[in-house]
């Protein structure tokens, strides 16, 4: 089992967000976490990535059988956890290629792999950039600075491609994307999907799931999973809205 | 070191010795005497003075300073070779302990560079020396003027373009007070670049008290960079004043890294229409360093542009003061003035006192100003951590990102590199993608 979440309670600023969440994810699977606003789906992604604002009150998260909560966010990343941000941060003065090479080499160092010099890395980056149809001109630009919403999201997927995570959490990656950008991002993710990784799509809308087809759909309401099913469940939600699941949960 | 107050008179003997040994013309000696009288009268500034409220120079006032002889030991010349390599470029005008040293200087080409004793008959020198920076501004400006010795007079000819940046190198060597002085006059349509490097050899407790006067005639352009890397035991006090003619452009960047206590009084005045001035700065201090920038920009006439961006990074128990005054005088319609001071605190013990100040006496203007003091954003830090960068690296990158806007103005590769290193410290080797 890649990830196993048992009876998870999470609070932020003393307010409980997740209240007894259970979830199992294995390699080779695509999971969609859906739910109305405020249901706690982004919280789940952030807790897994190690965001410092969230407090795990109770419960357990096992990642490859080990306690994930013991690891700092950077250690988790080097162990293969990746979160694509809903609002990627701008880092002025540091180019995309510098930043990604630092991240890549930190991971390689940790895993005992081969670190790359700028030239070698540039070749890798060019290759990966094709996945998200990104112009190499973006490599020289400061990380996310002056990028459009769509460019930022594509850049997140480029980072995912370079860092090759085992567990990829895509937090509202579809928000703010026009249909063309959505298609590019989704195709990039589909190409990165493998038997060696798991992809978790956190999303409010079904739209993204037309392009990245999930194996499992989990509906979150009131801080726990209230309904689970296959890809059909997403369509049902699209049609009926979230009220019926909320009602069913009570 | 003595602790009695009123040490101004301690400079009496040094001053009398200096002026009686001088073969300067009477008009120069007269300016010096007046300045010294003024220094004795107003003394060193104290914290009771509004302009010096946050910067206490009592340690300077109390010390028994000797003034530098300016005689350079032959052995030191070799020691300084490393310094010169770092500076790069084909020329260097070197001051040791505030005194111009011809022996180890290589004068620039394409521009007239005279030491003051060669310049006293020059018309532009006579018209401008001590006319741009008012010696009465404060005790330090007065004291520098009183101790005028071998400064450097630079003059760029009409419509000339000086190809290579002119390097002014100030080396603090011994525990003494140095009074370097520069006068730059750019004639109509001239273009040049000046770089001031303030450096130390050892961590000595010396005083650099410099005055830099600049006049740009119509359509003249000057890029002017100051990089202050003094000893962390040293006092660094500089007055610079620039006067701008019609359509002239002044692009100034000030980097403060060194000094136990540093203070820069920076002035810029617009005297004819269509001139533009950029005054930007970065101070990066740590431990118990104290840095203070007081600027004053005078829009006296219509249709000029001034832009000022100052950034500060403070760690340890360091302290920074920023006070920026922009005066838009009654006649100065069409002024475009922008001023900003942003500070990043890396420690809970660091402190910033910032006060941007606009005084506007004309309605038809575009003016904006602001100041911020903050810490690294948690969300930004988390973003970098979530990509597997360790915390030191992540903090360094974000800090660099904060300073980058100012650092990237610096075009001289060797200085840019030294700055990158200072800001990124151990990170540098891995960032050169």
């Amino acid at each position: 089992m890649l990830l196993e979440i048992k009876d998870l309670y999470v609070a932020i600023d003393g307010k409980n967000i997740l209240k007894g969440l259970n979830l199992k994810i294995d390699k080779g699977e695509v999971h969609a976490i859906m739910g109305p606003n405020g249901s706690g789906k982004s919280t789940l992604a952030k807790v897994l990535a190690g965001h410092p604002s969230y407090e795990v009150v109770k419960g357990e998260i096992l990642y490859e059988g080990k306690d994930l909560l013991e690891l700092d966010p950077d250690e988790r990343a080097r162990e293969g956890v990746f979160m694509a941000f809903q609002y990627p941060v701008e880092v002025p003065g540091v180019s995309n290629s510098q930043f990604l090479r630092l991240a890549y080499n930190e991971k390689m160092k940790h895993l005992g792999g081969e670190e790359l010099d700028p030239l070698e890395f540039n070749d890798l980056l060019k290759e990966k950039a094709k996945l998200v149809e990104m112009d190499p001109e973006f490599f020289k630009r400061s990380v996310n600075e002056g990028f459009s919403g769509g460019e930022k999201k594509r850049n997140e997927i480029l980072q995912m491609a370079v860092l090759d995570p085992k567990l990829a959490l895509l937090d509202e990656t579809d928000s703010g994307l026009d249909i063309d950008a959505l298609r590019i991002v989704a195709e990039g993710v589909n190409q990165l999907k493998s038997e060696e990784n798991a992809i978790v799509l956190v999303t409010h809308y079904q739209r993204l799931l037309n392009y990245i087809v999930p194996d499992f759909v989990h509906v979150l309401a009131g801080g726990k999973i209230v309904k689970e099913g296959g890809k059909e469940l997403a369509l049902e939600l699209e049609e009926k809205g979230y009220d019926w699941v909320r009602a069913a949960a009570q | 070191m003595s602790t009695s107050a009123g040490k101004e008179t301690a400079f009496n003997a040094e001053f009398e010795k200096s002026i009686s040994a001088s073969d300067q013309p009477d008009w120069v000696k007269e300016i010096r005497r007046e300045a010294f009288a003024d220094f004795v009268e107003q003394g060193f500034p104290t914290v009771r003075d509004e302009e010096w409220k946050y910067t206490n120079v009592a340690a300077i006032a109390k010390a028994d300073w000797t003034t530098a002889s300016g005689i350079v030991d032959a052995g030191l010349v070799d020691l300084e070779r490393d310094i010169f390599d770092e500076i790069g470029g084909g020329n260097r005008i070197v001051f040791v302990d505030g005194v111009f040293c011809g022996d180890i200087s290589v004068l620039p080409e394409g521009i007239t560079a005279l030491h003051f004793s060669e310049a006293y008959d020059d018309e532009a020198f006579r018209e401008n020396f001590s006319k741009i920076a008012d010696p009465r501004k404060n005790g330090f400006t007065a004291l520098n003027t009183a101790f005028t010795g071998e400064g450097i007079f630079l003059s760029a000819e009409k419509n000339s373009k000086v190809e290579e940046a002119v390097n002014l190198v100030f080396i603090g060597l011994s525990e003494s007070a140095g009074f370097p002085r520069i006068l730059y006059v750019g004639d109509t349509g001239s273009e040049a670049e000046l770089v001031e490097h303030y450096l130390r050899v050892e961590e000595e407790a010396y005083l650099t008290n410099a005055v830099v006067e600049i006049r740009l005639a119509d359509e003249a352009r000057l890029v002017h960079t100051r990089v202050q890397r003094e000893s962390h035991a040293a006092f660094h006090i500089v007055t610079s004043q620039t006067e701008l003619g019609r359509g002239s452009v002044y692009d100034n960047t000030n980097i403060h890294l060194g000094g136990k206590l540093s203070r820069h009084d920076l002035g810029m005045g617009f005297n004819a229409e269509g001139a533009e001035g950029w005054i930007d700065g970065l101070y990066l201090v740590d431990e118990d360093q104290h840095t203070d920038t007081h600027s004053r920009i005078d829009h006296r006439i219509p249709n000029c542009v001034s832009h000022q961006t100052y950034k500060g990074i403070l760690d340890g128990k360091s302290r920074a003061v920023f006070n920026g005054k922009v005066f838009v005088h009654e006649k100065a319609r069409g002024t475009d003035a922008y001023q900003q001071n942003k500070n990043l605190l890396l420690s809970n013990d660091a402190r910033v006192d910032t006060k941007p100040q606009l005084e506007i006496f004309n309605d038809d203007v575009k003016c904006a100003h602001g100041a911020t003091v903050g810490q690294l954003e948690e969300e930004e830090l988390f973003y970098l951590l979530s990509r597997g960068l360790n915390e030191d690296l992540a903090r360094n990158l974000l800090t660099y990102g904060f300073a980058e806007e100012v650092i990237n103005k610096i075009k001289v590769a060797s200085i840019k590199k030294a700055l990158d290193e200072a800001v990124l410290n151990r990170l540098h080797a891995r960032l050169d993608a």
Side-chain angles (χ1 to χ4, degrees), chain B residues 269-345:
Chain B
F270 292 101
N271 305 299
E273 293 195 34
E276 294 175 22
W278 272 262
I279 293 189
D280 300 314
L282 170 69
Y283 41 88
L284 177 69
V285 283
D286 195 359
E287 295 170 349
D288 62 348
Q289 285 182 282
H290 180 113
T291 185
D292 179 346
T293 297
H294 267 62
S295 67
R296 180 185 166 117
I297 298 170
D298 282 285
H299 284 268
R300 301 180 187 116
I301 40 82
N303 302 324
C304 290
V305 177
S306 70
H307 275 248
Q308 187 174 24
T309 299
Y310 257 75
K311 294 209 171 177
I313 299 172
L314 292 91
D315 205 345
K317 292 180 177 171
S318 62
R319 188 160 177 192
V321 181
F322 177 83
N323 185 301
K325 290 191 185 72
V326 179
F327 285 89
V328 180
H329 296 245
E330 209 177 326
K331 283 189 237 163
R333 70 185 146 72
T335 289
D336 179 351
Y338 170 86
Q339 180 181 58
Q340 194 172 46
N341 175 233
K342 286 186 175 176
N343 296 279
L344 177 63
L345 301 182

Side-chain angles (χ1 to χ4, degrees), chain A residues 68-210:
Chain A
L68 185 70
L69 299 173
E70 283 288 296
L71 302 179
D72 288 334
D74 53 323
E75 293 171 319
R76 295 182 197 193
R78 294 193 291 267
E79 286 286 342
V81 177
F82 178 88
M83 179 172 82
F85 279 49
Q86 184 177 3
Y87 304 108
V89 169
E90 298 186 3
V91 191
V94 180
S95 76
N96 242 339
S97 58
Q98 288 170 332
F99 173 62
L100 270 176
R101 191 169 71 90
L102 284 170
Y104 179 85
N105 282 346
E106 286 287 304
K107 182 169 177 174
M108 284 301 139
K109 209 187 311 172
H110 174 71
L111 297 177
E114 192 193 344
E115 295 183 44
L116 298 183
D117 68 28
L119 285 175
E120 294 165 334
F121 185 74
N122 234 31
D123 291 342
L124 174 84
L125 198 55
K126 267 189 210 156
E127 199 53 43
K128 300 291 184 191
K130 288 180 192 161
L131 284 174
V132 283
E133 299 177 24
M134 204 156 181
D135 191 316
E137 200 46 43
F138 279 88
F139 303 167
K140 290 182 220 145
R141 284 172 57 181
S142 295
V143 180
N144 293 327
E145 196 180 38
F147 285 29
S148 71
E151 286 162 353
K152 283 182 182 172
K153 295 296 173 76
R154 270 151 71 178
N155 203 26
E156 293 292 282
I157 304 307
L158 173 63
Q159 294 182 17
M160 174 180 160
V162 169
L163 297 174
D164 189 23
K166 290 181 207 162
L167 176 64
L169 309 156
L170 275 55
D171 186 11
E172 308 271 9
T173 296
D174 50 334
S175 71
L177 290 187
D178 63 30
I179 199 74
D180 291 327
L182 181 70
R183 182 188 50 78
I184 292 168
V185 162
E187 279 175 13
V189 174
N190 281 332
Q191 290 183 64
L192 293 171
K193 190 172 79 176
S194 82
E195 286 307 306
E196 293 308 309
N197 62 30
I199 291 167
V200 180
L201 309 164
V202 172
T203 180
H204 186 84
Y205 300 105
Q206 190 269 341
R207 192 174 71 144
L208 177 68
L209 308 182
N210 288 336

